[in-house]
Amino acid sequence: MDFDWELINNSIPLLLTGAGITVEITALSVFFGFCIGIFVGVARLAKLRLIRYAAAVYVDFIRGTPLLVQIFLVYFALPAVIGSRVDPFLAAIAACSINSGAYVAEIIRAGIQSIDKGQMEAGRSLGLSWGQTMRYIVMPQAFKRIIPPLGNEFIAMLKDSSLVSVIGFEELTRRGQLIIARTYASMEIWAAVAIIYLIMTLTISRLVAYLERRYRTTK
Amino acid sequence: MIKIRGLKKNYGDLEVLKGIDLDVADQEVVVIIGPSGSGKSTLLRCINYLEVPTGGTIEVDGIELSGEANINSVRKEIGMVFQRFNLFPHMTVLENLELAPMKVRGVSKAEAEQIAMELLHKVGLEDKAQAYPEQLSGGQQQRVAIARALAMKPKALLFDEPTSALDPEMIKEVLDVMKQLAREGMTMVVVTHEMGFAREVGDRVVFVDGGKILENTTPEEFFTNPKEERAKVFLSKIL
């Protein structure tokens, strides 16, 4: 079987713009997921049982159901409830952010819990409030420790964002599908798509490794 | 300065403190000693509410502690020095000392630095201002921790076995700083196993066992003529 290089060449621009959209979805989802994750992660350690339980229910529900089903829920089920169509881009970002938030929350909870209890006690004994101690003492130390798992979450999100192709959102995977529908060149296009994903994930993992090194030396 | 009445602390069914009455006068150095598990550390940690008492009252400088509402206002007046130092590892020594005065007392950066440098000079570590805690020996870390507590200009200091995590050759440098503070009139409550320190520096020795205060007397009286049988047994084991 011949490998059609020319087809790949012609498809690259279209695939790359798709990859740009993949990066956009991923970056936005990880950003919002991170914002959600900080609040939920801290809420998992709250004194009030109600807050703790609410956070745990969210994390359990999201981690216990497939992202694909969550995307369907946001895109197909939610409109039935609110009575209007949901924009695919918003649906994609919402589903991925809410999904990522649960995983980030667990990373942040574990990061906070890995910091010695004496740090919180020392902060409180100096008259700092719980919030101040978290902000100035516990969180900065926890963040250094959670850089590697956060990097993993970023990479996982980038790959999982391919799932939003099912609601017709034209990111990298969907672009590949569309080209194949026209040309039947499955092998060429899927290989090209895989390599573009690989380049993106390798770039992120290098970046994370760099951050990790930098924070280790400067403390 | 500190007034404790009927202090009780339970962990589930376990009664750690069974009704403690203790007064600490201004400028007094009270040394709390007792076997491990006697509740002496818990007693100390109740004074600044790191442990929330199950019963009884604690009054510090005329303010009765009542939980989160007023705890920060009391904590900034009583410093604490921990067994394991608990310095902030992501900050330099100087930043360790500056943080609380700036965030809690609203002191300016320049003023906080000036106070910090004076205190580092006092504990003999001004050349370590830019170092990180992990670059210091245990004794140096504990001296920084004392300076950090002093940076808040507290009215009293609590010491929770400050030399127990130190190598023997570093104990003296920490005790020397504590002795100097005592001479300067700092009110101190010290949980320790250093009997030499208790004898030399303490105004009063409090012997705790089984969650109760069994002796509350002068060091002289306690070490030469203990009244309680359990205090005698304890002393015979450690002296």
Side-chain angles (χ1 to χ4, degrees):
Chain A
M1 177 177 177
D2 286 329
F3 203 87
D4 191 344
W5 290 104
E6 202 183 322
L7 174 67
I8 291 193
N9 228 353
N10 293 337
S11 309
I12 285 289
L14 204 57
L15 289 178
L16 284 185
T17 51
I21 294 166
T22 289
V23 169
E24 194 184 341
I25 300 176
T26 306
L28 285 171
S29 301
V30 168
F31 173 75
F32 290 123
F34 189 69
C35 298
I36 297 171
I38 287 183
F39 278 101
V40 178
V42 172
R44 291 270 276 154
L45 303 168
K47 273 196 199 128
L48 277 178
R49 191 176 296 178
L50 188 69
I51 297 177
R52 244 179 13 241
Y53 281 176
V57 166
Y58 164 70
V59 169
D60 284 344
F61 177 78
I62 296 298
R63 296 204 306 172
T65 55
L67 175 57
L68 188 58
V69 174
Q70 293 161 16
I71 292 169
F72 286 149
L73 276 174
V74 173
Y75 190 61
F76 295 115
L78 191 60
V81 179
I82 60 175
S84 77
R85 223 180 135 267
V86 180
D87 176 66
F89 181 73
L90 276 182
I93 299 291
C96 290
S97 302
I98 292 169
N99 181 272
S100 190
Y103 289 93
V104 173
E106 283 302 275
I107 292 170
I108 288 180
R109 179 188 59 78
I112 291 172
Q113 284 181 325
S114 78
I115 304 300
D116 184 62
K117 244 182 74 201
Q119 293 289 307
M120 177 56 87
E121 290 184 347
R124 299 306 306 275
S125 78
L126 287 164
L128 294 164
S129 67
W130 184 87
Q132 285 177 319
T133 310
M134 268 291 168
R135 180 168 158 204
Y136 298 113
I137 297 165
V138 178
M139 283 295 196
Q141 295 181 59
F143 274 128
K144 273 164 215 166
R145 294 192 190 173
I146 64 178
I147 288 173
L150 271 186
N152 288 341
E153 171 56 23
F154 201 143
I155 290 168
M157 196 69 254
L158 188 115
K159 293 183 293 179
D160 291 348
S161 71
S162 60
L163 288 171
V164 304
S165 60
V166 297
I167 55 173
F169 193 71
E170 288 193 31
E171 39 65 75
L172 178 55
T173 302
R174 181 72 181 158
R175 283 279 159 88
Q177 282 176 331
L178 291 176
I179 296 169
I180 292 165
R182 209 173 58 226
T183 63
Y184 300 103
S186 314
M187 189 174 75
E188 286 86 348
I189 297 302
W190 284 134
V193 166
I195 287 169
I196 295 174
Y197 272 114
L198 189 62
I199 291 170
M200 292 193 290
T201 51
L202 284 179
T203 309
I204 298 172
S205 60
R206 284 295 140 81
L207 200 68
V208 171
Y210 165 76
L211 284 177
E212 214 181 321
R213 262 199 320 277
R214 216 189 87 159
Y215 277 112
R216 200 170 37 224
T217 46
T218 59
K219 258 270 152 192
Chain B
M1 184 74 219
I2 299 169
K3 192 169 149 192
I4 300 170
R5 290 291 174 271
L7 178 65
K8 286 188 178 155
K9 175 69 185 175
N10 299 0
Y11 293 106
D13 289 339
L14 184 68
E15 230 183 343
V16 182
L17 297 178
K18 302 171 184 168
I20 299 267
D21 298 325
L22 181 65
D23 289 282
V24 180
D26 209 17
Q27 305 212 337
E28 196 177 20
V29 177
V30 173
V31 180
I32 303 175
I33 60 180
S36 49
S38 60
K40 56 191 191 304
S41 274
T42 307
L43 166 59
L44 191 76
R45 290 161 59 84
C46 280
I47 298 177
N48 67 352
Y49 254 53
L50 284 182
E51 301 288 347
V52 178
T54 318
T57 61
I58 299 171
E59 215 181 280
V60 174
D61 204 25
I63 306 170
E64 187 176 324
L65 300 194
S66 56
E68 286 296 320
N70 66 359
I71 190 59
N72 288 337
S73 58
V74 169
R75 277 183 180 144
K76 67 185 184 192
E77 307 298 342
I78 30 179
M80 182 147 191
V81 176
F82 299 86
Q83 183 178 353
R84 300 221 49 94
F85 330 134
N86 295 347
L87 293 178
F88 308 134
H90 60 303
M91 297 180 183
T92 63
V93 164
L94 188 62
E95 288 164 346
N96 264 275
L97 267 66
E98 289 171 343
L99 180 71
M102 284 165 65
K103 299 300 174 195
V104 180
R105 292 227 189 265
V107 166
S108 74
K109 169 94 182 156
E111 197 184 334
E113 183 169 336
Q114 194 200 334
I115 298 169
M117 290 311 294
E118 279 168 21
L119 288 168
L120 287 177
H121 175 74
K122 184 180 186 139
V123 299
L125 290 169
E126 71 237 272
D127 57 324
K128 300 290 185 192
Q130 298 304 329
Y132 283 92
E134 62 169 11
Q135 297 167 313
L136 305 180
S137 72
Q140 289 172 331
Q141 288 192 47
Q142 194 61 298
R143 285 188 280 154
V144 170
I146 293 172
R148 181 178 67 180
L150 289 172
M152 286 297 286
K153 300 197 188 307
K155 293 177 177 151
L157 275 183
L158 311 176
F159 292 85
D160 190 4
E161 301 198 25
T163 57
S164 296
L166 295 176
D167 291 334
E169 73 269 24
M170 291 168 186
I171 290 175
K172 187 175 174 297
E173 66 188 60
V174 171
L175 291 181
D176 284 346
V177 170
M178 292 168 64
K179 283 176 196 166
Q180 191 192 340
L181 288 176
R183 274 198 303 275
E184 290 168 7
M186 175 60 78
T187 308
M188 292 160 65
V189 183
V190 185
V191 170
T192 187
H193 295 293
E194 293 295 326
M195 295 305 143
F197 177 85
R199 206 166 192 156
E200 186 186 339
V201 184
D203 295 313
R204 207 136 48 84
V205 168
V206 170
F207 178 74
V208 178
D209 194 10
K212 283 183 177 156
I213 292 180
L214 298 183
E215 301 247 10
N216 184 351
T217 178
T218 63
E220 183 63 27
E221 180 78 9
F222 178 75
F223 286 108
T224 52
N225 187 21
K227 290 184 184 59
E228 286 283 330
E229 192 54 38
R230 272 188 279 177
K232 285 178 196 165
V233 172
F234 177 73
L235 284 173
S236 73
K237 279 181 189 157
I238 56 160
L239 289 180

